[in-house]
Amino acid sequence: MKTIFVILVSSIICFSKLFSQCEFHENLTFETALIFPLPFGITPLEKGGLGINQEATIGSPFDFKWTMIWPDSFNNATTGGTAFADTLQFFLDQTIWVRDNQLDSMPNGLSFSIDPPSGIVFPNSEAPVACIRLFGTPEADVIPGDYLMTFSVKTCLEIPDVFSGCQDALIPSIISGFPGEYRLKINKEGTVAVKETLNNTVKLRVAPNPFVNKTIIEFNSEGLSDNYLFEVYDLNGALVKSKILSMTSNHQKISLDASGLSAGVYVFQIKGKEGMITSRLVVQK
């Protein structure tokens, strides 16, 4: 009994530490097992795909985060049936890096961290279970270019009449249910990353969210100039809405009609020449 109590207390401390230190993405739903941001799907970065939507520059600080959801049960992308989750473990030291179609190592100056530090998480249908952070300052000896990155994980779950137990998996991969790619672009020193996210400098408000048919997106446009592109994508990376708008004042409002969209989670991006703002929408029916 004492052992069980110690384990329980340790778990509470662990989860308290997780929620106090992790910076989770907001408005996540728990209808399926998801990692946010998702890998790029069929939509590439320059057309607004997801994935690592920030660029790194040699000699400049870089910070990017993923949130992992691992509910008790979820729709299995491979079989179309229901899967029941057990533990999930990340092996960040086994992350695969590829540059110019050749295996490479993590670019010098960058590091990974994860909460919980063990990398082992348990199902939770009410809250995110892990936060992964890629951060640091790429050093001068890093070769600029595109780096493909793949997580190594172990999933323990049950898919009735199909599988029960633990198996190694890669994210992204079709087998794990997360097809696409994570591509980190590293620019040479002194380069301005044109896809830099402006969420930390541009005040953004979406209300209501979740919503049924209509919502209002408001933001201050001091970080953007001239015309900007407003795009909405589903979680497969498919473009569902797009329009070009002009800056008319420092405070912008976008009225979004989602009456033609199915219920679910969507990602929108507001792009200007200085960078982009990105956030999430939850449509309910």
Side-chain angles (χ1 to χ4, degrees), residues 2 34 68 72 76 79 142 163 171 186 251 265 270:
K2 182 178 179 181
L34 296 172
M68 189 70 202
D72 296 324
N76 181 262
T79 65
V142 172
F163 176 82
I171 300 175
I186 300 182
H251 183 77
V265 180
I270 301 168

Side-chain angles (χ1 to χ4, degrees), residues 27-103:
N27 301 321
L28 300 183
T29 63
F30 298 90
E31 298 173 355
T32 186
L34 296 172
I35 186 170
F36 291 103
L38 288 167
F40 294 115
I42 58 174
T43 307
L45 172 62
E46 52 272 14
K47 291 187 178 180
L50 302 178
I52 306 176
N53 54 12
Q54 295 174 225
E55 296 180 4
T57 300
I58 294 173
S60 298
F62 177 80
D63 201 331
F64 189 80
K65 298 181 180 69
W66 288 267
T67 297
M68 189 70 202
I69 293 175
W70 187 243
D72 296 324
S73 62
F74 55 89
N75 295 326
N76 181 262
T78 305
T79 65
T82 301
F84 299 92
D86 197 336
T87 56
L88 172 69
Q89 183 172 10
F90 289 87
F91 301 96
L92 296 184
D93 59 337
Q94 298 177 24
T95 302
I96 300 169
W97 293 84
V98 175
R99 182 180 58 83
D100 293 337
N101 297 318
Q102 299 291 327
L103 286 176

Side-chain angles (χ1 to χ4, degrees), residues 10-22:
S10 300
S11 300
I12 294 173
I13 293 173
C14 179
F15 276 105
S16 298
K17 181 180 179 182
L18 171 62
F19 286 108
S20 64
Q21 293 185 359
C22 246

Side-chain angles (χ1 to χ4, degrees), residues 213-232:
N213 289 323
K214 292 185 178 181
T215 190
I216 300 294
I217 299 169
E218 299 181 73
F219 64 99
N220 68 294
S221 58
E222 296 175 0
L224 299 172
S225 62
D226 301 323
N227 293 337
Y228 62 94
L229 181 63
F230 173 72
E231 296 177 325
V232 181

